[in-house]
Amino acid sequence: MNQQGSTRVENPQGFVHTGAGNIYVNGGAHLQDSDKPAFRRVAEDQLRRLRLVLVDPPGMGKARAMLADTGTVILDGDPGSGRTSAARVLLRECRQDSGVLHELLPGEEGELALHDPALVGNGDQLLLDLSGADDHQWSAARADLPALRKSVHEQHAHLVVIMPHDGILDPDLQYYRVGIGRPPGLQVLRRHLRMHGMPYEQYMRSDATVDEFVGVKRPMREIADFADLVRRARETARPDEEFAQWCATAKRARNDRRKEVAARVAELREAPQRALLITVSMLHGAHADVIHRAAQLLLRTLASPSDGLPLLQHKDLAERLTEISAATGLRGHVHFTDLDYDSAVRAHFWDHMPDLRPHLGTWAASIVDLNHLHVTPAVRDGLVTRLADQYLRTGRGDGLASLAERWSIEATSRARLEAAVHALTCGLEDPAHGREFRERIYQWCAYRRLKGEFAQVLVRICADVLAASHPDQALLRLYYLARRERDPAPALQSLDDMVAGSRRLRRRLLDRLARYSPSPPDLGIFLRVCDPVPLTDSSETSRALVEEREVQHSLTTCWHAVLAGLPRATWQPHAARWLRRAADGIGRRGELLLDLLVSAAERCGERRGEAFAALYASAREAERTAPGGLKRSVETTELLIHKISVAQGLGPATPPPSARGTQP
């Protein structure tokens, strides 16, 4: 049920990182004008499809009712029963206008503790998958669940916990536990076949192969894979074949073909034969022209000598494909004659010719860079996915990460940068290696010197991939990237975009900026994300961010650092926005903006008089462009002067009558 998402990179800029300082712009390959959707949209499409394909397991109705009534449900079920899919569907069904769906990963870098109230935003949908947790992890999570539930309730959010099967649950949490059963295998298979566009009159027939397959208790993932094999068998079948033949072909494809492939490779002794075999397996379904060109490039990558024969004495492609049990279809696309034979070929060469592995990365990059009519985005993504699968299948996540980094450093085209993004996406989406890749991306963003175009690849990975399910981790990694870049600043833009859609993330970023002594890069980020409009907006909650004590502390700390450490020309436009917003008829929230500015200036010690004067001058300049008209703007300036006088001990606490006009 987990579809492999494709990612295209949009609106990026390229950098070269020259040391421990800033990243300077370099005129290299750029990722722009992408023709593929952002990953967040792909992720939403996957959730929508998951809802359509899911057969409600026994207990799903009770889980829905529990989640609706209490905001929390704890799912328990056998491994392979579809618990994770059920959890995601439950959360999608309770989606609100506010809030986002994200997975909680306690203990990972950039993740808040489960008991931290800042973890939950208004209307969020939270998934806590502890199905694979050990006793220590489950015990720690159980201790934090009451506090997490309290935050979920206060924020009108929803939480689904997947507990370890038959794990211990505290008495006060037993009420929220719902057992999830295994849905009927035949019904699940038929639902998948229907979603694949299989004719109803075909898959509803009784079939011996299907009966044998569903007669064994299988994980839901395995049933989904078999349905996909049936779909592919249908697509490559002869016109006279029907459902029974498709299922029989799918059954044969599930057999272990390692010995069969090993015997075939032993028969094919010539380098061109093996090169073509590898090429078809890695570019399965590509056009014959691409297969021919790619096989030549593989021989060149491996420095295989030419046979020296005249061109017309060479075997033609049709004959060579027949030798490896492949053929060209009516539209010129190449497939092996046996279903799923390509995966067995890939596994054989990867496992039994380890010296070939580094050359495959170089060769794949050369294919990605081809400017050819039939080298489409789908062909490039398919090649990268198949190569990534071999790294991940054999536990070589580090090799895949290094390959993506190398492609980014050596990038000569947008296509190669997109291939690097897609390779890292494969690692992030792999259940067994996702955590490793999230940690590796953190190390790159926070500590590594980024060469070539790698920084822009990481920006897009964080903004379009990681942010889809782990926004807190994406926020932290983009923060580190933004601290090291100069204009143009795609990491900073991505940060701004993230907090624009989430009060919780804006609060968290402000807290991060104020937690330590803000550096000049931190202040640049602050000025970008301190937009007074979302800070004073209370349309979705009972109070605005600016009315929260913790946010006020963060804003005051950062504005103090700005006034004390940056030239007025840098911060004046941002202060003017605050002053214009204060004059915009928002009442007490507008006055709070003035209070925070004055409080920040008051902390400037011996330079506070200079800071007060600069704020006053900014207010006078803002009067000319205030949206509420000159009268209200002047009243706001007078209220600011009054607050400055009070801070200096020079005036009464009660504002003058003209300044009171700013109140609603």
Side-chain angles (χ1 to χ4, degrees):
M1 297 180 192
N2 295 325
Q3 302 291 316
Q4 175 61 52
S6 295
T7 303
R8 264 305 182 266
V9 185
E10 302 175 351
N11 302 324
Q13 309 293 335
F15 331 95
V16 169
H17 192 271
T18 59
N22 295 315
I23 298 176
Y24 293 93
V25 176
N26 178 49
H30 297 291
L31 291 166
Q32 56 190 359
D33 302 326
S34 170
D35 54 0
K36 295 182 69 178
F39 190 87
R40 272 172 275 192
R41 198 167 77 218
V42 174
E44 174 58 28
D45 290 344
Q46 290 173 344
L47 277 175
R48 188 180 301 111
R49 186 182 187 282
L50 182 61
R51 177 65 193 94
L52 294 174
V53 82
L54 182 76
V55 174
D56 281 3
M60 190 70 166
K62 183 178 179 182
R64 283 194 179 97
M66 179 65 69
L67 189 61
D69 291 344
T70 69
T72 300
V73 65
I74 302 175
L75 299 183
D76 186 15
D78 292 333
S81 60
R83 296 167 297 174
T84 302
S85 296
R88 293 185 181 278
V89 167
L90 285 170
L91 289 171
R92 186 184 185 277
E93 289 176 345
C94 64
R95 185 175 54 185
Q96 306 175 58
D97 292 337
S98 62
V100 296
L101 190 157
H102 61 104
E103 184 175 356
L104 306 181
L105 297 170
E108 290 196 20
E109 191 66 50
E111 291 286 327
L112 295 172
L114 294 180
H115 60 260
D116 194 326
L119 186 66
V120 186
N122 183 259
D124 279 355
Q125 306 101 52
L126 309 175
L127 172 62
L128 179 58
D129 186 354
L130 295 169
S131 56
D134 57 31
D135 290 344
H136 174 73
Q137 292 169 326
W138 177 231
S139 176
R142 292 202 320 269
D144 284 340
L145 278 180
L148 176 59
R149 281 201 61 253
K150 182 176 183 294
S151 299
V152 167
H153 177 74
E154 291 173 347
Q155 294 292 338
H156 306 288
H158 293 86
L159 167 68
V160 177
V161 181
I162 307 176
M163 64 178 288
H165 181 49
D166 291 333
I168 298 173
L169 198 59
D170 301 337
D172 59 331
L173 295 173
Q174 282 287 353
Y175 175 76
Y176 306 98
R177 177 188 172 278
V178 174
I180 289 292
R182 184 184 300 274
L186 180 59
Q187 190 175 349
V188 172
L189 178 63
R190 287 175 171 173
R191 179 69 62 84
H192 278 278
L193 292 174
R194 187 181 77 182
M195 291 302 299
H196 286 315
M198 201 73 62
Y200 174 84
E201 62 275 9
Q202 293 276 0
Y203 66 74
M204 289 302 293
R205 295 177 183 175
S206 177
D207 181 78
T209 302
V210 169
D211 292 343
E212 178 187 351
F213 179 78
V214 299
V216 178
K217 183 183 291 186
R218 301 179 186 276
M220 296 297 104
R221 174 72 267 174
E222 196 171 324
I223 296 176
D225 289 342
F226 183 74
D228 190 61
L229 283 174
V230 175
R231 173 192 64 82
R232 291 158 55 195
R234 178 196 180 201
E235 292 174 352
T236 57
R238 298 191 308 270
D240 60 333
E241 293 182 341
E242 293 190 345
F243 185 68
Q245 287 81 16
W246 306 336
C247 293
T249 300
K251 178 184 176 181
R252 289 194 298 272
R254 297 182 72 248
N255 296 334
D256 187 352
R257 285 184 158 152
R258 286 179 293 183
K259 291 183 179 180
E260 179 185 345
V261 170
R264 174 56 61 88
V265 172
E267 295 171 358
L268 302 172
R269 309 300 302 181
E270 299 178 7
Q273 292 175 314
R274 293 185 172 183
L276 186 61
L277 187 64
I278 295 169
T279 299
V280 174
S281 73
M282 296 295 291
L283 289 162
H284 200 244
H287 194 274
D289 290 351
V290 177
I291 297 294
H292 174 71
R293 177 64 176 142
Q296 291 180 322
L297 286 173
L298 181 56
L299 289 170
R300 186 181 304 169
T301 301
L302 298 173
S304 296
S306 171
D307 57 16
L309 292 174
L311 178 62
L312 292 179
Q313 293 184 25
H314 289 177
K315 298 176 182 178
D316 65 24
L317 185 59
E319 181 181 359
R320 295 170 59 209
L321 289 174
T322 301
E323 292 175 347
I324 64 169
S325 300
T328 303
L330 294 176
R331 296 185 179 182
H333 297 276
V334 177
H335 296 85
F336 285 113
T337 53
D338 290 334
L339 184 64
D340 230 29
Y341 192 76
D342 56 310
S343 62
V345 172
R346 291 193 296 271
H348 174 84
F349 280 103
W350 188 269
D351 293 345
H352 300 291
M353 285 192 174
D355 292 341
L356 183 66
R357 296 171 188 171
H359 298 289
L360 288 178
T362 302
W363 169 73
S366 66
I367 303 302
V368 164
D369 280 337
L370 282 178
N371 183 17
H372 191 287
L373 171 66
H374 296 294
V375 181
T376 62
V379 168
R380 293 186 177 100
D381 286 348
L383 173 60
V384 174
T385 297
R386 294 178 183 117
L387 182 58
D389 285 346
Q390 298 310 306
Y391 279 104
L392 299 172
R393 178 182 65 84
T394 54
R396 290 285 315 280
D398 57 336
L400 178 60
S402 297
L403 180 65
E405 183 177 15
R406 176 158 62 88
W407 283 351
S408 304
I409 293 172
E410 300 171 353
T412 57
S413 67
R414 186 189 76 185
R416 191 179 298 199
L417 295 180
E418 290 171 340
V421 171
H422 193 69
L424 292 177
T425 298
C426 291
L428 285 170
E429 293 299 296
D430 185 82
H433 294 85
R435 179 166 187 164
E436 170 193 347
F437 273 79
R438 290 191 294 270
E439 172 61 25
R440 191 178 297 273
I441 290 170
Y442 172 78
Q443 295 295 327
W444 276 326
C445 293
Y447 302 117
R448 289 284 297 276
R449 295 179 59 185
L450 306 179
K451 301 177 182 178
E453 311 299 332
F454 196 36
Q456 60 173 308
V457 168
L458 292 176
V459 168
R460 299 281 34 104
I461 277 290
C462 293
D464 286 346
V465 183
L466 200 57
S469 54
H470 306 101
D472 293 73
Q473 292 200 10
L475 185 83
L476 180 62
R477 286 150 180 76
L478 287 170
Y479 160 75
Y480 281 121
L481 289 173
R483 294 181 81 246
R484 296 191 287 166
E485 68 183 359
R486 293 177 63 183
D487 289 335
L492 182 54
Q493 179 61 54
S494 295
L495 267 181
D496 198 12
D497 292 342
M498 283 194 70
V499 301
S502 172
R503 288 165 49 93
R504 185 182 69 84
L505 291 179
R506 188 181 298 273
R507 181 190 300 113
R508 186 158 187 212
L509 180 57
L510 290 171
D511 175 72
R512 179 80 191 189
L513 292 168
R515 188 178 306 172
Y516 310 106
S517 298
S519 64
D522 290 327
L523 299 182
I525 297 172
F526 169 72
L527 290 175
R528 182 64 173 266
V529 302
C530 71
D531 185 346
V533 174
L535 288 173
T536 54
D537 178 36
S538 61
S539 59
E540 296 180 357
T541 58
S542 59
R543 62 174 181 168
L545 278 173
V546 76
E547 295 174 295
E548 298 178 11
R549 181 171 300 179
E550 295 81 2
V551 174
Q552 292 174 3
H553 170 76
S554 298
L555 292 170
T556 303
T557 299
C558 290
W559 265 119
H560 165 243
V562 165
L563 296 174
L566 297 182
R568 178 172 177 266
T570 300
W571 57 259
Q572 191 277 333
H574 303 278
R577 293 180 68 186
W578 275 48
L579 293 162
R580 287 194 294 268
R581 181 63 174 170
D584 200 20
I586 56 174
R588 171 59 184 163
R589 284 165 284 144
E591 188 172 347
L592 277 174
L593 294 177
L594 302 182
D595 289 336
L596 294 174
L597 289 174
V598 171
S599 179
E602 190 177 9
R603 295 186 184 184
C604 290
E606 295 180 355
R607 297 184 56 190
R608 70 174 189 161
E610 180 183 342
F612 286 142
L615 285 178
Y616 171 71
S618 298
R620 285 301 186 198
E621 293 174 11
E623 289 177 1
R624 296 191 295 269
T625 55
L630 182 61
K631 181 177 184 296
R632 181 171 289 174
S633 181
V634 170
E635 291 171 350
T636 299
T637 301
E638 291 179 357
L639 182 58
L640 175 68
I641 296 172
H642 167 73
K643 291 179 178 296
I644 290 174
S645 298
V646 172
Q648 293 178 310
L650 302 176
T654 303
S658 59
R660 295 192 196 110
T662 61
Q663 304 299 312

